[in-house]
Amino acid sequence: MWSTCGVRQGGVLSPFLFAIYVDDVIVNLHDKRLGCSVGGSYIGCLMYADDLVFLSASLTVLQQMVDVCEQEMTYLDMKFNASKSMVLRIGKARRKLCDDIRLCGVDLQFVSTVKYFGVYIESANTFKLSLLESQSNFFRSTNGIFYKCKGSMCETVMMHLFSSYCKPILFYALDSVHLSNSNLKSLTHSWHAIFWKLFGTKLLIV
């Protein structure tokens, strides 16, 4: 989202003032009961700074949510960036043809994966994370340390570097989601594979 006026980026009060400024977006959706609810708690609209996520079990309701927010943004002299907005479908009917979701007169793109706060969510039958990007970055960072330090540092120091700088990349945010058995096997394989290459042995994840 962008606006011709607003609060100064980096200011101490800016996050609070911005939250007050755009609060009516969430309030309107909550009052209209558009989107998902769990245990009586409304979760149809998740907002962090200027990142906005709509959760809906129906594409028709999702379009209504977009329309409500677009009207509110017009009132606030703000606009959504349609080029950076996308739709991700989760469920058994995710591959069925459906009407497009329109934002600011633009048909939004349906995608197979979406990045949100550093994790990649995948279009699947159930909620699922894609680990390919984190695994790729893990191998890239590990290989960088290995080729720069091999021969000049002992294995104990290299192990400390791998655990401090590489392991967080592989396991970033995974403690907040439920991992399937296939996810766990894939992560374990990535951890074991790199150390088998470096030291000729497998190491436990600690």
Side-chain angles (χ1 to χ4, degrees):
M1 295 179 290
W2 59 273
S3 173
T4 56
C5 59
V7 295
R8 184 172 65 86
Q9 186 173 4
V12 176
L13 293 178
S14 295
F16 301 99
L17 296 175
F18 182 79
I20 295 172
Y21 191 63
V22 299
D23 185 59
D24 284 346
V25 174
I26 301 177
V27 170
N28 286 343
L29 291 173
H30 177 271
D31 291 343
K32 296 178 184 298
R33 306 307 296 177
L34 293 174
C36 297
S37 295
V38 175
S41 298
Y42 179 70
I43 61 167
C45 177
L46 305 177
M47 192 171 192
Y48 183 84
D50 61 347
D51 288 320
L52 189 62
V53 176
F54 298 147
L55 300 176
S56 172
S58 165
L59 287 171
T60 300
V61 174
L62 180 60
Q63 182 64 68
Q64 294 175 1
M65 296 174 71
V66 171
D67 292 340
V68 168
C69 289
E70 191 173 350
Q71 294 174 4
E72 184 63 29
M73 286 297 156
T74 300
Y75 173 75
L76 295 174
D77 190 28
M78 300 179 70
K79 289 184 180 180
F80 286 105
N81 189 340
S83 64
K84 293 185 177 180
S85 302
M86 57 201 69
V87 181
L88 180 77
R89 299 179 69 186
I90 298 176
K92 295 181 179 180
R94 69 187 186 281
R95 292 193 177 94
K96 292 185 178 180
L97 295 177
C98 62
D99 293 334
D100 292 322
I101 301 297
R102 295 183 64 83
L103 174 65
C104 301
V106 178
D107 292 337
L108 298 183
Q109 180 184 7
F110 285 81
V111 297
S112 57
T113 58
V114 63
K115 183 180 180 181
Y116 188 66
F117 289 129
V119 298
Y120 289 80
I121 305 172
E122 186 175 342
S123 177
N125 289 341
T126 58
F127 182 84
K128 182 180 179 182
L129 295 184
S130 175
L131 303 177
L132 295 177
E133 187 70 21
S134 60
Q135 289 172 319
S136 176
N137 291 334
F138 168 74
F139 285 121
R140 189 179 298 114
S141 61
T142 305
N143 287 335
I145 291 176
F146 175 71
Y147 288 112
K148 288 182 179 180
C149 301
K150 185 179 180 181
S152 61
M153 292 186 181
C154 66
E155 293 183 354
T156 302
V157 175
M158 292 182 66
M159 274 290 299
H160 178 73
L161 292 174
F162 293 142
S163 297
S164 299
Y165 295 102
C166 304
K167 191 166 70 174
I169 296 175
L170 185 62
F171 299 113
Y172 175 75
L174 296 185
D175 54 343
S176 62
V177 297
H178 174 73
L179 294 175
S180 65
N181 289 333
S182 60
N183 289 147
L184 293 173
K185 289 180 180 179
S186 179
L187 290 169
T188 303
H189 175 75
S190 298
W191 181 260
H192 284 172
I194 193 66
F195 285 103
W196 183 270
K197 174 182 176 182
L198 301 180
F199 306 112
T201 185
K202 292 183 179 180
L203 299 176
L204 295 177
I205 301 176
V206 293

